[in-house]
Amino acid sequence: DQYAFYSFVRHPMERFLAGFHQIEIFWRMNWIAGKIDKLGLLWWNTSCILSSEYEELDSHHPCTGSEPKSDVITRLGRLNSFLDDIESVGYFDQHIIPITYQLSVSPLITELSEKAQPQFFDIESMDDVSDTLATVTGYTMQKKDEYRKMVRTKDQDDKMTWIIFWSELTELATSGQGLKNAINREAKSAQNAIEKMCYLYENDVKCLPYDIPECKNIGIRSQ
């Protein structure tokens, strides 16, 4: 009764894509080689990405499945392969486990009384919530205590060419309709990725207070 708990959630599609980005870093840093071998993951060797920022340190799992490129088709192909791995073996890293599942097994949910259940906020409001709590409790925020979001620069993103944002993915999915060219291929690949994401994160889409019309339009596949 002496504590008030609060936590932050995030748009599920943006969070998944951030997790995908994080695992790409893990592969380049040779931090996920064990899971690749144990689970038979395949994404790392498909649609190889040309990047000037991160050297591939995993000498046992170099991407040789295709010529390295950084074009849209290649980036989307790699994302789709990553999603195929999840469909095949499950959510193999905590960065891509659905938010609703993580909440369902959290002690903040399972062990606290109904009265003591945490309040949830969108991650975009982290700064405002932290400042408000400090004011309410009379705590003077010190510089080391400030929760300020890190902002990647465009220069950083340009060097990490595998990154795909949800806004970019949805824009690609609606481009090139009816065109029999590369743009149409990009649209179909983006649509395929969105459909897989909607299926894999069905509970997040249904249970979290985010409007994701792309999933409604596609229709979520039955288990």
mmCIF file of all heavy atoms in Angstrom, residues 2 4 17 26 30 40 47 62 67-68 73 113-114 127 136 140 144 159 166 168 170 193 209 222:
data_model
loop_
_atom_site.group_PDB
_atom_site.id
_atom_site.type_symbol
_atom_site.label_atom_id
_atom_site.label_comp_id
_atom_site.label_asym_id
_atom_site.label_seq_id
_atom_site.Cartn_x
_atom_site.Cartn_y
_atom_site.Cartn_z
ATOM 1 N N GLN A 2 2.127 1.125 0.182
ATOM 2 C CA GLN A 2 2.995 2.292 0.248
ATOM 3 C C GLN A 2 3.521 2.695 -1.124
ATOM 4 O O GLN A 2 4.160 3.739 -1.244
ATOM 5 C CB GLN A 2 4.169 2.010 1.189
ATOM 6 C CG GLN A 2 3.750 1.740 2.624
ATOM 7 C CD GLN A 2 4.946 1.416 3.500
ATOM 8 O OE1 GLN A 2 6.073 1.394 3.028
ATOM 9 N NE2 GLN A 2 4.689 1.161 4.768
ATOM 10 N N ALA A 4 3.039 3.107 -5.492
ATOM 11 C CA ALA A 4 2.192 3.203 -6.678
ATOM 12 C C ALA A 4 3.060 2.818 -7.873
ATOM 13 O O ALA A 4 4.155 3.379 -8.057
ATOM 14 C CB ALA A 4 1.654 4.616 -6.844
ATOM 15 N N LEU A 17 9.359 -3.566 -34.742
ATOM 16 C CA LEU A 17 10.393 -3.150 -35.690
ATOM 17 C C LEU A 17 11.652 -2.693 -34.964
ATOM 18 O O LEU A 17 12.768 -2.902 -35.448
ATOM 19 C CB LEU A 17 9.855 -2.048 -36.606
ATOM 20 C CG LEU A 17 8.802 -2.516 -37.618
ATOM 21 C CD1 LEU A 17 8.158 -1.332 -38.319
ATOM 22 C CD2 LEU A 17 9.415 -3.473 -38.638
ATOM 23 N N PHE A 26 22.446 -7.471 -32.729
ATOM 24 C CA PHE A 26 22.981 -8.639 -32.020
ATOM 25 C C PHE A 26 23.709 -9.568 -32.991
ATOM 26 O O PHE A 26 24.771 -10.113 -32.668
ATOM 27 C CB PHE A 26 21.850 -9.405 -31.332
ATOM 28 C CG PHE A 26 21.245 -8.694 -30.158
ATOM 29 C CD1 PHE A 26 20.042 -9.133 -29.614
ATOM 30 C CD2 PHE A 26 21.855 -7.591 -29.579
ATOM 31 C CE1 PHE A 26 19.479 -8.491 -28.519
ATOM 32 C CE2 PHE A 26 21.296 -6.933 -28.498
ATOM 33 C CZ PHE A 26 20.102 -7.392 -27.965
ATOM 34 N N ASN A 30 27.788 -10.593 -33.056
ATOM 35 C CA ASN A 30 28.046 -11.987 -32.710
ATOM 36 C C ASN A 30 27.507 -12.333 -31.320
ATOM 37 O O ASN A 30 28.142 -13.056 -30.548
ATOM 38 C CB ASN A 30 29.551 -12.297 -32.786
ATOM 39 C CG ASN A 30 29.843 -13.798 -32.752
ATOM 40 O OD1 ASN A 30 28.975 -14.611 -33.070
ATOM 41 N ND2 ASN A 30 31.048 -14.164 -32.342
ATOM 42 N N GLY A 40 17.852 -22.963 -35.654
ATOM 43 C CA GLY A 40 17.845 -23.051 -37.118
ATOM 44 C C GLY A 40 17.297 -21.807 -37.783
ATOM 45 O O GLY A 40 16.572 -21.898 -38.787
ATOM 46 N N SER A 47 18.523 -12.012 -48.185
ATOM 47 C CA SER A 47 18.415 -10.576 -48.490
ATOM 48 C C SER A 47 19.498 -9.786 -47.746
ATOM 49 O O SER A 47 19.217 -8.938 -46.905
ATOM 50 C CB SER A 47 17.027 -10.048 -48.121
ATOM 51 O OG SER A 47 16.029 -10.699 -48.860
ATOM 52 N N PRO A 62 28.184 -15.506 -41.728
ATOM 53 C CA PRO A 62 28.194 -14.352 -42.639
ATOM 54 C C PRO A 62 27.031 -14.448 -43.620
ATOM 55 O O PRO A 62 26.614 -15.542 -43.994
ATOM 56 C CB PRO A 62 29.536 -14.500 -43.365
ATOM 57 C CG PRO A 62 29.762 -15.986 -43.390
ATOM 58 C CD PRO A 62 29.196 -16.512 -42.086
ATOM 59 N N GLU A 67 23.643 -11.076 -52.997
ATOM 60 C CA GLU A 67 24.542 -9.928 -53.106
ATOM 61 C C GLU A 67 24.075 -8.828 -52.154
ATOM 62 O O GLU A 67 22.898 -8.476 -52.155
ATOM 63 C CB GLU A 67 24.543 -9.400 -54.532
ATOM 64 C CG GLU A 67 25.409 -8.169 -54.729
ATOM 65 C CD GLU A 67 25.277 -7.576 -56.111
ATOM 66 O OE1 GLU A 67 24.582 -8.186 -56.957
ATOM 67 O OE2 GLU A 67 25.849 -6.504 -56.353
ATOM 68 N N PRO A 68 24.964 -8.287 -51.310
ATOM 69 C CA PRO A 68 24.547 -7.250 -50.363
ATOM 70 C C PRO A 68 24.042 -5.995 -51.084
ATOM 71 O O PRO A 68 24.699 -5.468 -51.979
ATOM 72 C CB PRO A 68 25.836 -6.942 -49.584
ATOM 73 C CG PRO A 68 26.688 -8.155 -49.757
ATOM 74 C CD PRO A 68 26.378 -8.669 -51.130
ATOM 75 N N ILE A 73 13.573 -3.328 -51.856
ATOM 76 C CA ILE A 73 13.181 -4.725 -52.021
ATOM 77 C C ILE A 73 14.012 -5.630 -51.118
ATOM 78 O O ILE A 73 13.489 -6.561 -50.474
ATOM 79 C CB ILE A 73 13.317 -5.166 -53.489
ATOM 80 C CG1 ILE A 73 12.186 -4.566 -54.341
ATOM 81 C CG2 ILE A 73 13.298 -6.679 -53.606
ATOM 82 C CD1 ILE A 73 10.809 -5.104 -54.014
ATOM 83 N N SER A 113 -2.414 -6.909 -5.793
ATOM 84 C CA SER A 113 -3.863 -6.869 -5.669
ATOM 85 C C SER A 113 -4.442 -5.970 -6.762
ATOM 86 O O SER A 113 -3.730 -5.180 -7.387
ATOM 87 C CB SER A 113 -4.257 -6.320 -4.298
ATOM 88 O OG SER A 113 -3.873 -4.954 -4.180
ATOM 89 N N GLU A 114 -5.725 -6.110 -6.967
ATOM 90 C CA GLU A 114 -6.382 -5.292 -8.002
ATOM 91 C C GLU A 114 -6.202 -3.802 -7.726
ATOM 92 O O GLU A 114 -5.990 -3.012 -8.640
ATOM 93 C CB GLU A 114 -7.862 -5.634 -8.070
ATOM 94 C CG GLU A 114 -8.613 -4.889 -9.169
ATOM 95 C CD GLU A 114 -10.053 -5.330 -9.277
ATOM 96 O OE1 GLU A 114 -10.427 -6.328 -8.635
ATOM 97 O OE2 GLU A 114 -10.816 -4.645 -9.999
ATOM 98 N N ASP A 127 8.558 11.367 -20.439
ATOM 99 C CA ASP A 127 9.122 12.572 -19.829
ATOM 100 C C ASP A 127 8.086 13.304 -18.982
ATOM 101 O O ASP A 127 8.348 13.691 -17.835
ATOM 102 C CB ASP A 127 9.669 13.512 -20.904
ATOM 103 C CG ASP A 127 10.897 12.946 -21.591
ATOM 104 O OD1 ASP A 127 11.491 11.991 -21.061
ATOM 105 O OD2 ASP A 127 11.269 13.456 -22.663
ATOM 106 N N VAL A 136 4.605 15.778 -7.849
ATOM 107 C CA VAL A 136 3.608 15.324 -6.880
ATOM 108 C C VAL A 136 4.263 14.815 -5.600
ATOM 109 O O VAL A 136 3.782 15.047 -4.489
ATOM 110 C CB VAL A 136 2.723 14.223 -7.505
ATOM 111 C CG1 VAL A 136 1.856 13.551 -6.446
ATOM 112 C CG2 VAL A 136 1.858 14.812 -8.618
ATOM 113 N N THR A 140 12.964 16.546 -6.096
ATOM 114 C CA THR A 140 13.661 17.442 -7.018
ATOM 115 C C THR A 140 14.505 16.599 -7.967
ATOM 116 O O THR A 140 15.445 15.921 -7.536
ATOM 117 C CB THR A 140 14.565 18.426 -6.262
ATOM 118 O OG1 THR A 140 13.770 19.176 -5.347
ATOM 119 C CG2 THR A 140 15.265 19.361 -7.236
ATOM 120 N N LYS A 144 21.058 13.417 -13.195
ATOM 121 C CA LYS A 144 21.242 11.990 -13.435
ATOM 122 C C LYS A 144 19.926 11.223 -13.413
ATOM 123 O O LYS A 144 19.843 10.094 -13.867
ATOM 124 C CB LYS A 144 22.175 11.407 -12.378
ATOM 125 C CG LYS A 144 21.637 11.472 -10.955
ATOM 126 C CD LYS A 144 22.647 10.901 -9.975
ATOM 127 C CE LYS A 144 22.149 10.994 -8.542
ATOM 128 N NZ LYS A 144 20.942 10.210 -8.319
ATOM 129 N N LYS A 159 23.249 4.955 -41.867
ATOM 130 C CA LYS A 159 24.316 3.968 -41.746
ATOM 131 C C LYS A 159 23.775 2.596 -41.371
ATOM 132 O O LYS A 159 24.446 1.588 -41.576
ATOM 133 C CB LYS A 159 25.336 4.426 -40.701
ATOM 134 C CG LYS A 159 26.108 5.674 -41.111
ATOM 135 C CD LYS A 159 27.050 6.123 -40.008
ATOM 136 C CE LYS A 159 27.811 7.370 -40.412
ATOM 137 N NZ LYS A 159 28.713 7.848 -39.331
ATOM 138 N N TRP A 166 7.631 1.900 -39.073
ATOM 139 C CA TRP A 166 6.241 1.556 -39.350
ATOM 140 C C TRP A 166 5.630 2.535 -40.347
ATOM 141 O O TRP A 166 4.895 2.129 -41.256
ATOM 142 C CB TRP A 166 5.448 1.539 -38.051
ATOM 143 C CG TRP A 166 3.983 1.264 -38.204
ATOM 144 C CD1 TRP A 166 2.955 2.103 -37.899
ATOM 145 C CD2 TRP A 166 3.370 0.060 -38.697
ATOM 146 N NE1 TRP A 166 1.742 1.501 -38.159
ATOM 147 C CE2 TRP A 166 1.971 0.246 -38.653
ATOM 148 C CE3 TRP A 166 3.873 -1.153 -39.160
ATOM 149 C CZ2 TRP A 166 1.074 -0.739 -39.056
ATOM 150 C CZ3 TRP A 166 2.971 -2.137 -39.572
ATOM 151 C CH2 TRP A 166 1.595 -1.925 -39.519
ATOM 152 N N GLU A 168 7.125 4.143 -42.702
ATOM 153 C CA GLU A 168 7.661 3.821 -44.020
ATOM 154 C C GLU A 168 7.006 2.562 -44.580
ATOM 155 O O GLU A 168 6.644 2.507 -45.761
ATOM 156 C CB GLU A 168 9.177 3.610 -43.922
ATOM 157 C CG GLU A 168 9.830 3.211 -45.242
ATOM 158 C CD GLU A 168 11.289 2.829 -45.098
ATOM 159 O OE1 GLU A 168 11.761 2.671 -43.950
ATOM 160 O OE2 GLU A 168 11.953 2.665 -46.141
ATOM 161 N N THR A 170 4.021 1.247 -43.924
ATOM 162 C CA THR A 170 2.631 1.457 -44.330
ATOM 163 C C THR A 170 2.545 2.309 -45.595
ATOM 164 O O THR A 170 1.652 2.101 -46.425
ATOM 165 C CB THR A 170 1.836 2.128 -43.199
ATOM 166 O OG1 THR A 170 2.491 3.348 -42.794
ATOM 167 C CG2 THR A 170 1.730 1.201 -42.000
ATOM 168 N N ALA A 193 4.557 -8.222 -45.194
ATOM 169 C CA ALA A 193 5.163 -8.009 -43.878
ATOM 170 C C ALA A 193 4.120 -7.529 -42.875
ATOM 171 O O ALA A 193 4.059 -8.011 -41.736
ATOM 172 C CB ALA A 193 6.315 -7.011 -43.985
ATOM 173 N N PRO A 209 -4.533 -0.025 -26.490
ATOM 174 C CA PRO A 209 -5.326 1.097 -27.013
ATOM 175 C C PRO A 209 -4.646 1.864 -28.139
ATOM 176 O O PRO A 209 -4.424 3.077 -28.045
ATOM 177 C CB PRO A 209 -5.510 1.974 -25.766
ATOM 178 C CG PRO A 209 -4.265 1.756 -24.979
ATOM 179 C CD PRO A 209 -3.914 0.301 -25.177
ATOM 180 N N SER A 222 -6.797 -16.635 -38.471
ATOM 181 C CA SER A 222 -7.157 -17.443 -37.306
ATOM 182 C C SER A 222 -5.952 -18.311 -36.935
ATOM 183 O O SER A 222 -5.168 -18.724 -37.790
ATOM 184 C CB SER A 222 -8.347 -18.338 -37.617
ATOM 185 O OG SER A 222 -9.469 -17.549 -37.945
#
